[in-house]
Amino acid sequence: MKTKLLNIIIPIYIVLQTICFIFAQHSSTSINTVFCYCSVILAFLITFIFINKKITFIFSILALFFTVIADYFLIIVDDYYTFAMVIFFLAQLSYAIRIYFEFDNKKIKLIYIIVRLTSLILAILLPLIILKDLVDFLIIISAMYYITLILSSIFSFILIKKNKIYLILSIGLLLFVCCDLFVALYNIESYISISRESFLYKVIYFDLNLSWIFYIPSQTLLGISLLKTYNK
């Protein structure tokens, strides 16, 4: 019964996300933000079709919930960026915890914890060493967020050896990484000057919002990954 229902719901969900994707790229700024945010909400709401009590499912829902909250401040309010990044970090921390519980091998779990903790320490120390007086809390929490996301993407691909169904999660997180790469590029001018003739400048001021090209598909896949993984 669940499989039949999923085969109906998922195509409808993909169509709705595709509509959001198209209008997010080809509309005025005010309408653009509405469709961008609708995409994030859709990814969150679809998970409630089949509620699952598994701890991995719960942390995945938490991740999507935190994403909805953070994007509200970044997309709709367009303010409170530091607070939004803290919430985004909590979202990625939720994905990290989900992935931890997906592993069965105790040695891999121990390595996972060591790598995660080491990366967070480096995410705090490196900005302090490299940027020195220029560093602020926003930079540090952003670094913690990015490294957590990147490692989640890497570890999710390892999970594919356990079950190919995790491929959806892996691609979703990889697209998430690509999105945030462009987000970082869009904000890099706050810290360094970029020549108008450079390739980087052309990428930053490209006609389309390249971050959303990756972000909406990533949220779409992350929503589907929950349904496909825990409602087989």
Side-chain angles (χ1 to χ4, degrees):
M1 178 65 182
K2 280 187 176 181
T3 303
K4 290 182 179 179
L5 192 55
L6 279 175
N7 290 337
I8 296 172
I9 291 171
I10 289 178
I12 294 173
Y13 169 69
I14 292 173
V15 169
L16 291 174
Q17 287 285 24
T18 302
I19 292 171
C20 288
F21 179 83
I22 292 170
F23 279 94
Q25 294 295 339
H26 301 284
S27 58
S28 63
T29 303
S30 58
I31 299 176
N32 170 291
T33 55
V34 171
F35 280 99
C36 288
Y37 194 58
C38 282
S39 170
V40 177
I41 293 174
L42 274 173
F44 173 61
L45 292 179
I46 195 174
T47 60
F48 287 93
I49 293 173
F50 299 116
I51 296 296
N52 193 303
K53 293 182 180 180
K54 289 183 179 179
I55 191 168
T56 46
F57 187 87
I58 292 170
F59 274 104
S60 294
I61 287 183
L62 272 176
L64 291 169
F65 172 72
F66 284 134
T67 302
V68 169
I69 300 300
D71 273 333
Y72 172 76
F73 290 99
L74 286 181
I75 300 172
I76 305 299
V77 178
D78 194 20
D79 202 350
Y80 304 101
Y81 304 117
T82 301
F83 175 75
M85 283 309 303
V86 171
I87 302 302
F88 262 131
F89 173 67
L90 292 177
Q92 287 310 315
L93 198 59
S94 299
Y95 281 122
I97 294 172
R98 171 195 172 176
I99 293 170
Y100 169 81
F101 283 110
E102 296 287 9
F103 286 110
D104 299 319
N105 189 294
K106 290 183 179 179
K107 289 183 178 179
I108 293 178
K109 283 188 171 184
L110 179 59
I111 293 171
Y112 185 87
I113 292 173
I114 293 172
V115 171
R116 287 288 191 179
L117 290 177
T118 303
S119 68
L120 288 177
I121 292 171
L122 290 173
I124 295 170
L125 292 178
L126 289 178
L128 290 171
I129 295 170
I130 297 171
L131 297 176
K132 297 180 181 178
D133 295 338
L134 292 175
V135 74
D136 55 22
F137 181 71
L138 178 58
I139 291 175
I140 291 175
I141 195 66
S142 297
M144 292 171 67
Y145 162 79
Y146 286 130
I147 193 62
T148 304
L149 171 57
I150 290 169
L151 286 176
S152 290
S153 178
I154 293 170
F155 279 112
S156 68
F157 277 97
I158 297 174
L159 280 173
I160 297 173
K161 293 181 179 180
K162 176 182 175 181
N163 193 319
K164 290 183 179 179
I165 200 165
Y166 292 108
L167 180 61
I168 301 173
L169 171 66
S170 301
I171 296 173
L173 288 172
L174 180 60
L175 291 174
F176 214 146
V177 172
C178 293
C179 162
D180 282 332
L181 174 62
F182 284 104
V183 171
L185 289 177
Y186 293 149
N187 291 280
I188 200 171
E189 282 189 301
S190 300
Y191 302 94
I192 63 172
S193 58
I194 301 173
S195 170
R196 288 178 175 270
E197 288 74 33
S198 67
F199 175 74
L200 188 57
Y201 183 90
K202 293 177 182 178
V203 170
I204 294 172
Y205 291 97
F206 191 67
D207 290 339
L208 295 177
N209 188 325
L210 297 175
S211 61
W212 284 108
I213 287 177
F214 292 104
Y215 191 55
I216 293 178
S218 80
Q219 294 305 300
T220 303
L221 290 176
L222 289 173
I224 292 174
S225 74
L226 269 182
L227 297 181
K228 298 289 280 184
T229 304
Y230 302 111
N231 294 287
K232 295 175 282 186

